[in-house]
C-alpha cells in the first residue's frame, strides 16, 4: 500500500525547494546574505514556537537530543543553507541549484563509507556521469574563474553541499527521528537563526537597512514560511521513511524547477553546455538512486 503522506512530503520538498534558489537570489539583491539566512530561520523558529504553544507541545527535549538537533542545525541550516545564501550573492541561482544537485553523490559516497549503502558498478557509472556534468559547468564558465567573487561563490557552494550531505547522513545514521518533528525544528531554527544573525552583526560593516526592498523582504518571508517551515517539516518526515540517498534524489527535481524559473523569471542565461551539464548530473543522480517501487513500499524506522 502506497504511503500517501510520504509522497505528499516528497512532492512538497521537490516543488518548494525548487523555488528557493530563485527566492534567495531575489532576497540577496538588497539584503546581505547572513541577514537573509538569519532572519529566515529566526522567523521560522517563531512560527514553530506559535504552533507548539497552540498545541501545548513546547517542552525541553533533553541534552542528548538537543545536541543532535544543534549538530543537524549547524550542518544543514548554518553551513548548507547559510553558505548557499552567501554564494548566491556572487553566482546565479541556476548555477547554485545545479551545484546543489551534486549533493546526492556526496550522500552516496558518505553512506557507502558508513555502510548504509552498497557499492555497485551502476553507482560508479552514476558518479562518473555526475562529475562529467561538473566538468561541463567549469568548461562553460572557465573564463569566470578569473573573477575572485565567482571563485568564492563556487567554493561556498561546494562547502554548502558537503554540509547538506553530512547532515542528511548524520540524521539517518544517528536515528534522530522524533514523534514531534515540530519541536525538533523549533530548536534547529532558533539556534541557526540566532547564530546567523550574530554572524551578520559581527562580519558585516554596513547593514544597508534603508536599501532593503519590498521584493527582497517578501522573498525572505517566503523562504521562512515555505522554504524552511513547510519544506523542512516534509524533509524530516521523508527521512523517517526512506534512505538518505533516496531523499536526496529530490535535488534533481529541484534543479529542473530552479533552472526553468531562473530562466523564465530572472532572465538568467542558460547555455547549451549548462543544459548538458544539468542533464549529466541529473542522469548520474538518477542512476545511483533509482530503485523501482521504493516509494510505494517504504517502512517506518522504529524509535
Amino acid at each position: 500500500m502506497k504511503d500517501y503522506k510520504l509522497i505528499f512530503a516528497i512532492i512538497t520538498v521537490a516543488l518548494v525547494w525548487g523555488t528557493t534558489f530563485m527566492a534567495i537570489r531575489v532576497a540577496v539583491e538588497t539584503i546581505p546574505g547572513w541577514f537573509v539566512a538569519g532572519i529566515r530561520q529566526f522567523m521560522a523558529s517563531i512560527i514553530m514556537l506559535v504552533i507548539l504553544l497552540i498545541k501545548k507541545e513546547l517542552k525541553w527535549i533533553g541534552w542528548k537530543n538537543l545536541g543532535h538537533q544543534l549538530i543537524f542545525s549547524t550542518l544543514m541550516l548554518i553551513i548548507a543553507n547559510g553558505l548557499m545564501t552567501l554564494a548566491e550573492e556572487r553566482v546565479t541561482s541556476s548555477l547554485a541549484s545545479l551545484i546543489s544537485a551534486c549533493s546526492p553523490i556526496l550522500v552516496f559516497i558518505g553512506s557507502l563509507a558508513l555502510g548504509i549503502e552498497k557499492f555497485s558498478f551502476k553507482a560508479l557509472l552514476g558518479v562518473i556521469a555526475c562529475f562529467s556534468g561538473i566538468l561541463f559547468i567549469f568548461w562553460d564558465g572557465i573564463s569566470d574563474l578569473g573573477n575572485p567573487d565567482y571563485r568564492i561563490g563556487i567554493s561556498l557552494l561546494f562547502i554548502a553541499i558537503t554540509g547538506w550531505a553530512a547532515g542528511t547522513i548524520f540524521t539517518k545514521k544517528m536515528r534522530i527521528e522524533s514523534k514531534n518533528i515540530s519541536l525538533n525544528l523549533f530548536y534547529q531554527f532558533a539556534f541557526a537563526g540566532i547564530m546567523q544573525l550574530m554572524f551578520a552583526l559581527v562580519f558585516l560593516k554596513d547593514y544597508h537597512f534603508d536599501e532593503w526592498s519590498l521584493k527582497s523582504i517578501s522573498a525572505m518571508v517566503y523562504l521562512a514560511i515555505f522554504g524552511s517551515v513547510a519544506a523542512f517539516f516534509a524533509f524530516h518526515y521523508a527521512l523517517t521513511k526512506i534512505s538518505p540517498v533516496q531523499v536526496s534524489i529530490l535535488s534533481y527535481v529541484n534543479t529542473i524547477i530552479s533552472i526553468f524559473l531562473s530562466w523564465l523569471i530572472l532572465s538568467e542565461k542558460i547555455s547549451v553546455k549548462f543544459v548538458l551539464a544539468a542533464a549529466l548530473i541529473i542522469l548520474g543522480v538518477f542512476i545511483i538512486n533509482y530503485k523501482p517501487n521504493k516509494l510505494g513500499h517504504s517502512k517506518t524506522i522504529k524509535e
Side-chain angles (χ1 to χ4, degrees):
M1 183 176 180
K2 291 185 180 297
D3 187 337
Y4 290 103
K5 289 184 178 180
L6 173 60
I7 294 173
F8 180 75
I10 289 174
I11 292 174
T12 298
V13 174
L15 293 179
V16 173
W17 276 345
T19 65
T20 55
F21 294 98
M22 181 186 69
I24 290 173
R25 183 66 176 171
V26 172
V28 298
E29 285 180 355
T30 62
I31 305 175
W34 277 129
F35 273 119
V36 171
I39 294 174
R40 168 188 177 178
Q41 307 303 355
F42 191 73
M43 286 179 61
S45 71
I46 297 300
I47 294 172
M48 298 312 304
L49 177 61
V50 171
I51 292 174
L52 290 168
L53 289 174
I54 292 175
K55 297 171 66 177
K56 297 181 179 181
E57 293 179 351
L58 181 63
K59 61 181 179 180
W60 173 242
I61 58 175
W63 289 110
K64 181 178 181 180
N65 191 21
L66 177 65
H68 287 161
Q69 302 311 319
L70 296 189
I71 291 174
F72 181 89
S73 179
T74 299
L75 293 172
M76 301 288 274
L77 300 181
I78 297 176
I79 295 177
N81 180 264
L83 296 187
M84 182 70 68
T85 303
L86 292 184
E88 287 203 46
E89 293 180 322
R90 299 169 174 84
V91 301
T92 63
S93 62
S94 54
L95 178 59
S97 65
L98 185 55
I99 295 295
S100 73
C102 300
S103 61
I105 300 298
L106 297 181
V107 173
F108 171 75
I109 294 173
S111 297
L112 188 67
L114 294 174
I116 300 176
E117 298 288 336
K118 295 182 179 180
F119 174 81
S120 69
F121 287 103
K122 178 174 74 73
L124 178 61
L125 180 62
V127 171
I128 292 174
C130 187
F131 279 104
S132 297
I134 294 175
L135 291 177
F136 269 99
I137 294 174
F138 292 108
W139 180 13
D140 188 46
I142 190 69
S143 60
D144 294 327
L145 291 175
N147 183 339
D149 277 346
Y150 181 83
R151 291 200 304 270
I152 292 173
I154 291 295
S155 299
L156 290 173
L157 287 176
F158 278 104
I159 297 173
I161 65 170
T162 300
W164 184 269
T168 302
I169 296 170
F170 176 79
T171 300
K172 201 66 179 183
K173 188 67 176 178
M174 299 300 292
R175 296 291 191 270
I176 304 178
E177 301 86 356
S178 170
K179 293 180 180 179
N180 195 334
I181 298 176
S182 299
L183 190 60
N184 285 346
L185 286 176
F186 164 68
Y187 283 97
Q188 291 172 22
F189 290 144
F191 177 71
I194 292 171
M195 291 301 297
Q196 289 168 329
L197 286 174
M198 288 177 61
F199 292 158
L201 295 173
V202 171
F203 296 125
L204 297 176
K205 296 180 180 179
D206 193 344
Y207 307 145
H208 303 290
F209 291 130
D210 58 325
E211 298 178 7
W212 292 17
S213 69
L214 179 60
K215 184 171 70 171
S216 292
I217 293 173
S218 298
M220 188 167 57
V221 172
Y222 171 84
L223 288 168
I225 297 173
F226 295 98
S228 289
V229 175
F232 267 92
F233 189 94
F235 178 77
H236 273 258
Y237 179 80
L239 274 179
T240 67
K241 297 289 185 175
I242 54 180
S243 75
V245 172
Q246 288 174 292
V247 174
S248 66
I249 197 173
L250 295 170
S251 63
Y252 72 73
V253 180
N254 298 342
T255 302
I256 294 173
I257 295 172
S258 178
I259 292 175
F260 175 73
L261 291 176
S262 297
W263 167 78
L264 180 66
I265 298 176
L266 300 182
S267 300
E268 293 183 359
K269 183 180 178 181
I270 307 298
S271 67
V272 174
K273 291 189 183 73
F274 192 90
V275 173
L276 182 57
L280 284 170
I281 290 173
I282 290 170
L283 176 63
V285 173
F286 180 79
I287 290 173
I288 288 178
N289 291 283
Y290 178 67
K291 294 179 181 179
N293 302 320
K294 193 66 178 179
L295 292 183
H297 296 83
S298 59
K299 59 182 180 179
T300 303
I301 304 235
K302 294 182 179 179
E303 295 291 319

